[in-house]
Amino acid sequence: MSLLEDLKMYVRFTAGLRGYLKHQMTLEEAQRIVRDRMEHREENFLRLLRRGVYGYARSPYLGLLRHAGCELADVERMVRTQGLETTLRSLRQAGVYVSFDEFKGRAPLERNGQLLATTAQDFDNPSLARHFYAETGGSTGKASRIVHDLDHYAATAPHHMLTWAAHGVLDAPMAVWRGILPDGSGINNVLRPARFGHLPEQWFSPIPWWDSRRSLKYSAATCYLIILARLMGTPIPWSRYVPLQRADIVASWVATTVKAQGKCFLAVTVSRALRVALAAEQAGLNLSGAVFKIAGEPPTPAKVRAIERSGVRCYPDYGMSEAGRIGMGCVHPRDCTDVHLLKDAFALMTYPQVVPGHETTVPAFNLTTLLPTTPKIMLNVVSDDYGIVEERRCGCALETFGFTTHLRQIFSSSKLTGEGVTLVGSEMVGIIEETLPARFGGSPLDYQWLEEEDEHGFTRLYIVISPRVTIADEHAAIETVLEALSRSSNGANAARMIWKQAGTLKVRRDEPVWTARGKLMPLHLQRYAANATSER
């Protein structure tokens, strides 16, 4: 962004924040908003399609729809006669969908031999005010810049308020252990509850103000937001740097708060929640009465068991940077990954997809956005996640709003996740296939990424290096990867800081794992290990 664009963004944000903070949403209002959106779900979809697709000449979906012979009147007729979900499946079968790499702008849209070059910004909602930006992770300079809009924060605040009420933490003292910009998760967890009058008492950040390298403007933006909100009468706390090795600081706050007030609420990534629980166990602290909202990575049974041993009750939520929260944790879950699909904001279906390089077909999530304030317009976008989708009655409060679709056991087919930071596997290929061979020798056949959970439940990312490659100091391989991340985007640099603190990256001297079909994939995920063989 240019300096002029930055200044315009600050003006928009200043003008929008006052109105956002001035209105305090009540629980009754949140209930009414969600019920109204559920009642008009199909109309909301058609309105977004009319304005953001057919009324927007740059929309990548226009060509797909017209190639399928679908004008707006055709889609309207299908929705009214067949329903929304049936319409979306029919469109999917007709080729109206966008793959994960197409949506990220890393591959052109290709259907029946026709190519359409797109960028990630082509999928932006043209109606947004664009109050500020954050970034997703990236490792080759291709991180996605995500629009954040205060109107969308207001539109999604009811989801958070209703979920907190269902889990009994609406009046609990709150803290956040999430990063400052360019990591948008900290701002998300501070500003959204401010809409219903709930501010965190502490904002712990694993990213310090002074270690952002090329991200000085993001540190300034975070500072500006806090000062501006305080001047407007909303005392957002200053972020406090707490590195991952000092989880005892957060554990102490949780224990002290629970002892004084009987309950507390912490918004945190899964791995950081585990660090807090282990720190409490080591210090002999009892965290009973605390509730953790865990996100950022899959909540595996091993991690959740270790967290709950400390006395904490936790629930997951599920989302993606481009879409926000897609599902909220069930009060009566079938397992530790169980979330309610937010059906007033999304339509989701599964569609068979073959995992590249494997003989495995997974039920891939195809996502469609419904809210007019959505940052990205999504129409059958393949999110690169897959899992179990089921309709069931659970008896919790979220069910009463029509949220009867449950998602669970959600995994990614091509993303690396560690310590709540996700980098897309396709973006990490350059490091494995180019950077490391250029630095240490060998070929791309001698290197591979491996994601694995260690004995404590932490997700580790291994750089598998063939013994044929001579490396005097294996730590140099880790430093080479970290340096490559630091030279890339701001999002990748944030990942570097977190992974360096956590010791997420490890070296394993072994032959890379080949698939049963004789292919060597740069990214080897353990959940497909049953389909792989190793040449040793």
Side-chain angles (χ1 to χ4, degrees):
M1 293 178 65
S2 68
L3 178 60
L4 179 60
E5 289 175 323
D6 281 341
L7 291 174
K8 289 180 179 178
M9 180 186 67
Y10 279 107
V11 171
R12 289 194 301 268
F13 181 77
T14 302
L17 186 62
R18 185 179 300 278
Y20 177 84
L21 295 175
K22 183 178 180 180
H23 180 79
Q24 295 290 292
M25 182 176 61
T26 65
L27 183 59
E28 292 74 20
E29 183 182 359
Q31 294 168 341
R32 178 185 55 77
I33 289 171
V34 169
R35 289 197 170 103
D36 181 72
R37 291 196 303 225
M38 285 294 291
E39 184 179 350
H40 299 94
R41 192 164 172 262
E42 294 180 350
E43 295 95 317
N44 290 340
F45 165 72
L46 291 173
R47 186 180 300 112
L48 184 61
L49 199 69
R50 188 178 302 115
R51 295 176 180 176
V53 176
Y54 285 100
Y56 181 49
R58 288 181 52 191
S59 172
Y61 301 109
L62 265 180
L64 297 177
L65 286 161
R66 286 174 175 160
H67 187 269
C70 290
E71 294 297 334
L72 178 60
D74 300 312
V75 180
E76 290 175 335
R77 183 174 60 256
M78 291 171 67
V79 169
R80 287 169 182 148
T81 59
Q82 302 176 24
L84 177 57
E85 272 70 21
T86 301
T87 297
L88 291 173
R89 186 165 293 277
S90 296
L91 291 174
R92 178 64 171 84
Q93 292 168 344
V96 181
Y97 71 94
V98 174
S99 74
F100 184 70
D101 280 340
E102 290 168 347
F103 182 66
K104 291 283 190 176
R106 301 188 187 103
L109 287 172
E110 182 176 2
R111 302 291 184 275
N112 299 321
Q114 295 185 343
L115 290 176
L116 173 64
T118 61
T119 68
Q121 284 68 46
D122 290 335
F123 296 93
D124 286 353
N125 187 342
S127 302
L128 292 192
R130 292 170 171 79
H131 288 111
F132 65 96
Y133 293 91
E135 283 192 2
T136 62
S139 63
T140 59
K142 296 182 180 179
S144 298
R145 188 181 66 180
I146 305 300
V147 173
H148 286 251
D149 182 89
L150 291 174
D151 290 336
H152 190 58
Y153 275 32
T156 55
H159 296 145
H160 296 263
M161 191 176 196
L162 296 177
T163 303
W164 290 17
H167 285 273
V169 295
L170 196 54
D171 59 346
M174 177 194 178
V176 173
W177 195 12
R178 304 297 293 259
I180 61 173
L181 292 171
D183 175 2
S185 65
I187 294 295
N188 289 346
N189 282 282
V190 170
L191 278 184
R192 279 199 174 90
R195 182 69 173 182
F196 47 91
H198 202 104
L199 292 174
E201 294 184 1
Q202 295 284 341
W203 179 0
F204 305 112
S205 171
I207 302 174
W209 296 88
W210 59 88
D211 187 20
S212 54
R213 295 199 178 186
R214 294 179 298 147
S215 307
L216 179 60
K217 71 174 184 179
Y218 286 110
S219 295
T222 303
C223 185
Y224 178 77
L225 182 151
I226 295 172
I227 292 174
L228 186 63
R230 285 172 167 257
L231 290 174
M232 293 177 177
T234 302
I236 290 176
W238 289 99
S239 68
R240 175 186 177 187
Y241 174 49
V242 176
L244 301 184
Q245 298 89 339
R246 293 304 312 274
D248 60 295
I249 294 174
V250 183
S252 177
W253 179 87
V254 172
T256 301
T257 304
V258 167
K259 184 176 181 180
Q261 303 193 45
K263 62 171 71 173
C264 79
F265 180 55
L266 179 67
V268 65
T269 66
V270 176
S271 289
R272 283 171 222 165
L274 176 56
R275 290 180 179 276
V276 172
L278 293 177
E281 185 177 343
Q282 187 174 12
L285 300 175
N286 184 359
L287 304 187
S288 297
V291 176
F292 288 4
K293 182 189 75 170
I294 54 176
E297 57 192 292
T300 63
K303 288 184 175 73
V304 172
R305 282 195 300 269
I307 294 168
E308 292 180 340
R309 277 202 307 267
S310 67
V312 168
R313 179 168 59 87
C314 60
Y315 72 87
D317 69 15
Y318 165 62
M320 57 188 296
S321 299
E322 294 85 354
R325 296 304 91 190
I326 298 168
M328 293 293 195
C330 181
V331 180
H332 306 303
R334 183 160 285 179
D335 61 37
C336 65
T337 67
D338 195 349
V339 299
H340 288 264
L341 174 66
L342 301 172
K343 291 181 68 173
D344 63 324
F346 299 97
L348 183 148
M349 67 175 176
T350 61
Y351 203 85
Q353 175 174 293
V354 177
V355 178
H358 297 272
E359 297 176 344
T360 304
T361 298
V362 298
F365 289 173
N366 286 237
L367 197 66
T368 298
T369 49
L370 306 179
L371 296 183
T373 58
T374 180
K376 297 277 188 180
I377 293 180
M378 305 175 75
L379 177 58
N380 285 337
V381 170
V382 183
S383 72
D384 213 45
D385 291 333
Y386 67 94
I388 297 172
V389 181
E390 58 191 6
E391 293 290 327
R392 73 178 181 89
R393 298 285 178 176
C394 63
C396 90
L398 295 177
E399 178 190 293
T400 64
F401 300 99
F403 296 163
T404 56
T405 303
H406 290 250
L407 315 176
R408 58 190 181 91
Q409 297 184 27
I410 303 166
F411 296 100
S412 168
S413 57
S414 66
K415 285 181 283 198
L416 289 163
T417 300
E419 294 291 336
V421 178
T422 298
L423 290 179
V424 180
S426 60
E427 293 185 316
M428 300 292 280
V429 170
I431 293 177
I432 285 293
E433 295 190 344
E434 299 177 20
T435 305
L436 290 174
R439 172 70 173 80
F440 300 104
S443 75
L445 299 180
D446 296 314
Y447 300 87
Q448 189 177 52
W449 287 108
L450 171 66
E451 180 185 272
E452 192 172 82
E453 202 170 66
D454 69 14
E455 67 275 13
H456 301 294
F458 291 109
T459 299
R460 302 301 182 192
L461 304 181
Y462 288 91
I463 310 166
V464 179
I465 304 175
S466 169
R468 295 190 300 271
V469 178
T470 301
I471 300 180
D473 180 9
E474 293 181 356
H475 186 69
I478 295 175
E479 289 299 318
T480 299
V481 171
L482 293 173
E483 180 60 27
L485 292 173
S486 73
R487 292 195 307 267
S488 186
S489 67
N490 293 313
N493 187 45
R496 173 195 66 83
M497 288 187 280
I498 298 298
W499 287 355
K500 186 173 183 179
Q501 288 180 37
T504 300
L505 298 178
K506 303 289 183 183
V507 171
R508 178 173 293 177
R509 299 309 300 269
D510 207 343
E511 292 296 338
V513 178
W514 294 68
T515 72
R517 291 185 174 183
K519 296 182 179 180
L520 178 63
M521 305 302 294
L523 168 62
H524 177 68
L525 299 176
Q526 285 293 88
R527 49 188 167 275
Y528 304 126
N531 296 323
T533 60
S534 177
E535 288 190 359
R536 293 190 173 97

